[in-house]
Amino acid sequence: MSPDPDGVSGSQHRDSRGQHRLSDGDRRAGGRHTVSVRGDDSAFDIPRAMPPSTLRRRLNVLLLSRLVVATLLFGGTLLFAIDGARGMTAFTPVALIAATIAMFAATGMFAAQLMTGRASLRLITIEQIAFDLCLASVLVYVSGAAGSVFTVLYGIVVLYTAMTLGPAGSRFVAGISIVVYAGLGYAVATGALPAPPDQAARPYELQATELGFALFSNTVALIVVGALASYLSGRLLSAGGRIERAEARVLHLAQRNFDIVRSMSSGLLTIDLADRIVQANPAAAAMFGVEPPALEGELVGAFMQLEDEARGEVDAVRPDGSNFPIGYSKTPLRNTDGEVEGSLVVFADLTEVQALRVEADRAQRLALLGGVAAALAHEIRNPLGSISGSVQMVAESSELDEDDRQLLGIISTEVDRLNQLVTTMLDIGRPSIPRPGATNITAVARDVAAVAAQDETLQRAHIELVCPDAELVAHVDPDRLRQLLWNLLKNAVQASPQNGRVEIRIQAEGEGVELLVSDAGPGVPEADRPRLFEMFFSKRSLGMGMGLALAKQIVDAHSGTITVGDSELGGAAFRVWLPKEPPHRRPTPASTAALPTH
């Protein structure tokens, strides 16, 4: 962990190895440095320096304490130093007054540094310790040097050094204090440093044994204080490290739990005993189209009616009133004492699942139809061929009257219809794989319209083709496209009245080509439109409900869309959208639900 500018451990973020790191905002808010968490106790880094907020708080206490204690000490000493024979201008009062003024000035400077943040906390701490050593030395010097009672001030400086700079700092300051004290006492005792001129000479003129005892006893005292302060500071930091490791582990587990809940793709609701939502994860809120706070505090029954069973499927209601199917699992939420405090509901949107179920059912029916069609095709087509051949032979007889020929024509027509029905069943039951390629849609549409104009069964309506002169090319199978257009055109003609109008419109639409087949028939009721492309669904008496199912199958095979709406001609309008490019080379087509007006 790299030190920050203040000489304390900086805030961290989560790195690529999965370490948990707090943000700088957490550091400012929490006021403590972080430790790395990697899943085991050995991965925790014991802090080697004090958290900046703690150090700042202790420095503020130190400033206030210095003002109080130093004022009392210097003021009391000054009072005792002033007597009738010694006025305010004597050496000792002047020295004490100067030291007091320096103390107030330095305290103001340190306070300004703390407020402005121009200096690091470690530098401010070192400055204060050095200044306090000087103040203690001044007071020791004017009160007897080696024999001064104020040598205890060095021990106090060592103690608060341990509180701010830790064990190493306290040991260093204890050594400096011993050197300064011993040097001061020795210099004054030997005359190298003159004693204060206004003080009595006896306290400063110690015998060798007295000087040795004073230096020895005070040095031992400082060593003991330094060692004890270093030990207690180390224990304090060690205990703080263990506390921070525990806090970091709790924070890590809480963050991991939050990440898990936030990353769940399924919705998760926490419900209290009053059936109110306490918490909702982002996935749950996204399914309902709101933010998590919009769900919290609301009754769960307003969004989903959960059964008593532990799991099930119901319809959920969004705030906008729309419904969507969900599958849910409901389990009791218990506290550490085993008491039930509510419920946990995990749920998933089943919209796609239900669509897959419908598709699977459709595929199953197609497979069943394919099997039936394959089995019946041979049995049906052989008799149909025999019937058709026999009818043609009888029709060639010259002895038939007009009524007989008309009956034979009806038989031939019905045989052709049955043969087309068998062919359609085979196409749906065993769909061929399309072979798409660049196809001129307008040319194919013109060919289909021309063939339809010559077909007797489609001449009951007027067919009109509207398309641009330029080519419209799409990536489709031309044969399947002809079959699609033919089925839609035939369906439109059958729905139109006698001499009605059927329109085929071809135009470019976004990344694809649009085919619009409109008729003037009765149209398709809204209630029937969802099932219109289902197999065997038909409203006509002679319809089998397979033409539009085959058209839907062809469109789906080309990654297109087909919808039905109202036509300006008064009937139904079938809109088909087919892509210009293969699916892997184009974006997803836009929604094709709405029909254009012309």
Side-chain angles (χ1 to χ4, degrees), residues 246-440:
E247 290 179 348
R249 177 175 289 278
V250 171
L251 182 61
H252 171 70
L253 293 176
Q255 183 66 41
R256 177 61 58 86
N257 179 69
F258 175 77
D259 290 341
I260 291 173
V261 172
R262 181 184 57 184
S263 302
M264 289 177 61
S265 59
S266 298
L268 175 64
L269 298 179
T270 304
I271 304 172
D272 60 18
L273 295 176
D275 284 339
R276 291 192 177 275
I277 300 174
V278 179
Q279 289 179 320
N281 71 335
M287 292 183 198
F288 287 99
V290 296
E291 294 296 326
L295 298 177
E296 296 170 0
E298 300 292 333
L299 287 171
V300 68
F303 301 97
M304 59 183 73
Q305 296 296 327
L306 302 179
E307 305 295 337
D308 294 334
E309 291 80 5
R311 61 184 67 248
E313 295 183 8
V314 296
D315 283 339
V317 182
R318 296 188 180 93
D320 60 5
S322 60
N323 296 344
F324 65 101
I326 63 169
Y328 72 90
S329 174
K330 182 179 180 183
T331 57
L333 176 62
R334 301 181 184 275
N335 58 21
T336 54
D337 297 328
E339 298 175 351
V340 177
E341 294 185 339
S343 302
L344 286 178
V345 177
V346 180
F347 63 96
D349 189 345
L350 298 183
T351 301
E352 294 184 0
V353 174
Q354 287 196 354
L356 291 175
R357 289 174 181 171
V358 173
E359 186 64 26
D361 181 66
R362 178 172 175 268
Q364 184 178 10
R365 287 192 292 169
L366 285 175
L368 177 62
L369 177 61
V372 173
L376 294 180
H378 179 72
E379 300 297 331
I380 294 177
R381 277 185 165 171
N382 285 342
L384 288 179
S386 301
I387 294 172
S388 178
S390 300
V391 168
Q392 291 179 1
M393 291 179 62
V394 173
E396 293 175 357
S397 175
S398 59
E399 299 179 358
L400 296 177
D401 56 21
E402 188 62 29
D403 293 337
D404 293 335
R405 293 184 183 279
Q406 186 176 0
L407 291 175
L408 290 176
I410 295 174
I411 295 174
S412 179
T413 300
E414 293 302 312
V415 167
D416 291 340
R417 192 173 73 86
L418 288 174
N419 190 55
Q420 291 178 0
L421 178 60
V422 172
T423 302
T424 303
M425 290 177 64
L426 286 173
D427 289 338
I428 297 177
R430 292 182 176 178
S432 60
I433 300 175
R435 294 179 175 82
T439 303
N440 185 355

Side-chain angles (χ1 to χ4, degrees), residues 383-531:
L384 288 179
S386 301
I387 294 172
S388 178
S390 300
V391 168
Q392 291 179 1
M393 291 179 62
V394 173
E396 293 175 357
S397 175
S398 59
E399 299 179 358
L400 296 177
D401 56 21
E402 188 62 29
D403 293 337
D404 293 335
R405 293 184 183 279
Q406 186 176 0
L407 291 175
L408 290 176
I410 295 174
I411 295 174
S412 179
T413 300
E414 293 302 312
V415 167
D416 291 340
R417 192 173 73 86
L418 288 174
N419 190 55
Q420 291 178 0
L421 178 60
V422 172
T423 302
T424 303
M425 290 177 64
L426 286 173
D427 289 338
I428 297 177
R430 292 182 176 178
S432 60
I433 300 175
R435 294 179 175 82
T439 303
N440 185 355
I441 302 295
T442 54
V444 174
R446 289 191 182 97
D447 292 344
V448 173
V451 173
Q454 304 299 322
D455 192 295
E456 295 182 357
T457 62
L458 301 181
Q459 290 181 353
R460 61 191 305 270
H462 300 290
I463 300 173
E464 180 180 350
L465 176 63
V466 179
C467 60
D469 295 333
E471 293 183 353
L472 287 178
V473 179
H475 192 77
V476 297
D477 184 331
D479 294 333
R480 304 290 279 173
L481 177 62
R482 289 186 179 88
Q483 188 177 15
L484 168 66
L485 281 174
W486 183 263
N487 283 359
L488 292 178
L489 185 59
K490 185 177 180 180
N491 183 78
V493 171
Q494 291 174 348
S496 298
Q498 188 69 30
N499 296 323
R501 179 185 169 193
V502 172
E503 180 182 277
I504 305 174
R505 183 177 293 272
I506 311 295
Q507 61 188 13
E509 180 67 27
E511 297 293 330
V513 176
E514 179 184 270
L515 296 82
L516 190 65
V517 180
S518 307
D519 61 63
V524 180
E526 288 285 347
D528 295 338
R529 292 180 184 181
R531 300 188 56 199

Side-chain angles (χ1 to χ4, degrees), residues 91-92 95 137-138 140-146 183-201 203-205:
F91 178 83
T92 298
S137 299
V138 170
V140 167
Y141 172 65
V142 299
S143 61
L184 178 64
Y186 180 80
V188 172
T190 59
L193 177 65
D198 59 341
Q199 295 285 350
Y204 295 92
E205 295 177 354

